[in-house]
Amino acid sequence: MEWYVVGLGMLGLLMGFIIIGLPIPFALAAASIPFLLDILSLKSSLVTVELKLWGVWFDYILLAVPLFVFLGELIGRSSIGPNLYWFMHSKLPLRGAAAYGSIGACAGFGAVCGSSMVGSLTIGGVALPQMLKLGYGKRLSSGVLAAGGTLSVLLPPSLILLFYGIVTDQSIGSLFIAGVVPGLVLVTMFFIIVAVWGKVAPQDIPGQESIQPIPWLVALSALTPVMIIGLVITISIYAGIATPTEAAAVSSVITLIMAFCFGGLRWDGLLESLKSTMQTMGYLGLLLSSGVLFGFVMTYHQIPQQFTQLFVEMDLSPYAVLAMIVVFYIILGMFLEPVSMTFITLPTLFPLVHAAGFDLIWFGVVYTITMEIAVLTPPVGLNLFVIQSLARDDVTIGDVIVGCVPFIFALVILLLLLVGLPDTALWLPELME
């Protein structure tokens, strides 16, 4: 069977199963099995499926994923996350302190979490009602918090960068550190957007905010855990002391201790964190397993290699190839969430990026930014619905979408900056080497 027949057949089946409502993990597996049976007997196919399933669950590197998810859940269910926002808000003597504080809290939370949705849910759950109560505009409030959550997938540790490294076989540590400078640039751009918004629509930012100052002891109980966890993760990985999996395990234990000692976590909160982590990993585990099976069938038929060769023969410029890939991901992101996109498309497209001459560490940051845009674009923008669900009676989904538009432009500008100045992402990893 020709490679393009297999490729189009698998893609057609996958889209068909998704359209009729089949969950993506099952859609991936169902689209793979007919073509798997074409190359193997029924008995061999069953053995292959079993091996692919168990191979994912026993992958040492992937052990970091549930650990980072658990870490984020612990912080989200303790008072560390809310107190971090309280500190950022009350200690900023600026007009618009709550908006700036939300961005800062999302960035700080992102430095220990790695999940965009968890970041938006944790900080947004505290900040959105407070901002609306203080008199901030609905669009500004919801836009800041939906976009602020995306900082969690650019600043290390990032689950998207972790998945990207696994699929493309790139250094997780180098990918994490490559996201630091672009992440800080993005935080700065978000601050500028809030400042400009305050000038263009001053009615959206109250002139004076009455907020109870946070006691320094409570502030330290929020800042200290985040700083310690962030330092443990970054220093242990970049200094070669620990692998990302070991760093995730150690930081999870430290987070658990500090959440009990300083964050007010109790046994019911711990049980809810474990339950939520298992629910998340149940879905992610099935998605990873079926994604590996899907990739195995494509690789057997050499679809990624043939697809790359096809584009090479078209003699397109590297930047034309890059532009096509970025536009493809932005459009696809309107309908699929980032983790699914990673395992469905990346095995086919990253060889094309490599053949075009781009650095795969650099492209990892570019790819992650496109995923940030994906979670902010309707109709399936996860962060849009997370934020809107926090204030259904006060904020419409339209308010959230309009509020995110300036921040999406900031992400596009960051993409252009990375294309024009690749060292924005590569300077720090090269310096660390």
Side-chain angles (χ1 to χ4, degrees):
M1 196 178 294
E2 295 293 338
W3 69 271
Y4 53 85
V5 175
V6 177
L8 291 173
M10 292 179 71
L11 183 62
L13 281 175
L14 178 62
M15 291 299 103
F17 288 136
I18 291 174
I19 289 170
I20 64 174
L22 195 66
I24 290 175
F26 297 107
L28 278 167
S32 307
I33 288 173
F35 297 95
L36 185 64
L37 292 171
D38 182 60
I39 57 178
L40 296 172
S41 66
L42 177 60
K43 184 176 180 180
S44 298
S45 296
L46 290 173
V47 172
T48 300
V49 171
E50 291 171 4
L51 289 174
K52 294 301 175 184
L53 285 168
W54 287 110
V56 167
W57 288 98
F58 282 99
D59 191 315
Y60 175 72
I61 297 176
L62 282 174
L63 205 57
V65 178
L67 290 168
F68 280 129
V69 172
F70 179 56
L71 189 156
E73 290 290 341
L74 287 173
I75 293 178
R77 295 180 189 279
S78 68
S79 62
I80 295 173
N83 284 346
L84 180 63
Y85 165 74
W86 189 11
F87 170 78
M88 292 289 187
H89 180 186
S90 66
K91 297 301 181 184
L92 285 173
L94 298 170
R95 181 171 177 265
Y100 294 118
S102 296
I103 295 168
C106 286
F109 191 83
V112 296
C113 172
S115 169
S116 176
M117 189 172 67
V118 174
S120 288
L121 192 60
T122 301
I123 303 300
V126 180
L128 185 58
Q130 179 70 12
M131 291 178 72
L132 294 175
K133 182 180 177 182
L134 289 169
Y136 281 82
K138 297 177 182 180
R139 293 176 176 177
L140 174 61
S141 303
S142 55
V144 160
L145 292 165
T150 65
L151 296 169
S152 296
V153 296
L154 192 55
L155 293 167
S158 162
L159 292 183
I160 294 297
L161 282 173
L162 181 62
F163 290 139
Y164 174 90
I166 291 167
V167 172
T168 61
D169 196 26
Q170 298 298 302
S171 165
I172 305 297
S174 296
L175 285 167
F176 279 0
I177 200 168
V180 172
V181 174
L184 295 176
V185 171
L186 190 60
V187 170
T188 305
M189 292 171 74
F190 283 1
F191 283 156
I192 293 171
I193 288 171
V194 172
V196 173
W197 195 315
K199 297 291 185 183
V200 175
Q203 70 276 9
D204 284 346
I205 298 180
Q208 188 174 4
E209 300 177 22
S210 57
I211 182 71
Q212 181 183 359
I214 185 172
W216 278 106
L217 190 61
V218 178
L220 287 174
S221 72
L223 283 177
T224 304
V226 172
M227 291 175 64
I228 291 175
I229 297 162
L231 288 172
V232 167
I233 293 170
T234 52
I235 293 175
S236 60
I237 292 175
Y238 305 142
I241 299 170
T243 65
T245 302
E246 292 164 345
V250 172
S251 58
S252 293
V253 173
I254 294 173
T255 303
L256 180 61
I257 294 170
M258 290 193 294
F260 270 109
C261 295
F262 306 113
L265 186 72
R266 295 296 176 261
W267 287 109
D268 57 343
L270 174 59
L271 292 175
E272 286 298 317
S273 298
L274 288 168
K275 180 182 176 181
S276 182
T277 301
M278 287 189 287
Q279 288 174 334
T280 301
M281 287 312 302
Y283 175 80
L284 285 179
L286 286 173
L287 181 60
L288 291 169
S289 302
S290 54
V292 169
L293 181 64
F294 193 82
F296 168 76
V297 177
M298 287 200 303
T299 304
Y300 180 89
H301 288 279
Q302 295 193 323
I303 293 172
Q305 296 89 332
Q306 295 289 346
F307 188 73
T308 301
Q309 184 61 34
L310 180 65
F311 269 83
V312 169
E313 291 173 357
M314 291 172 65
D315 199 26
L316 297 173
S317 73
Y319 290 102
V321 173
L322 180 66
M324 290 171 64
I325 291 173
V326 169
V327 170
F328 167 76
Y329 273 123
I330 289 175
I331 294 173
L332 191 63
M334 296 179 181
F335 306 97
L336 288 178
E337 45 86 24
V339 178
S340 300
M341 281 194 286
T342 300
F343 289 97
I344 293 171
T345 65
L346 201 55
T348 302
L349 292 182
F350 91 84
L352 179 59
V353 175
H354 185 62
F358 293 109
D359 186 286
L360 288 179
I361 297 294
W362 170 85
F363 181 70
V365 180
V366 171
Y367 176 78
T368 302
I369 294 169
T370 64
M371 295 301 102
E372 292 179 87
I373 296 173
V375 298
L376 296 178
T377 49
V380 193
L382 292 179
N383 284 22
L384 303 177
F385 294 99
V386 166
I387 294 300
Q388 197 265 334
S389 69
L390 297 173
R392 290 185 183 276
D393 296 333
D394 300 311
V395 178
T396 66
I397 192 66
D399 290 328
V400 187
I401 292 170
V402 174
C404 285
V405 170
F407 299 97
I408 293 174
F409 276 119
L411 288 164
V412 173
I413 291 170
L414 182 59
L415 270 179
L416 296 174
L417 176 65
L418 282 167
V419 172
L421 294 171
D423 282 346
T424 307
L426 296 176
W427 170 74
L428 201 53
E430 290 171 355
L431 183 67
M432 295 296 291
E433 291 177 0

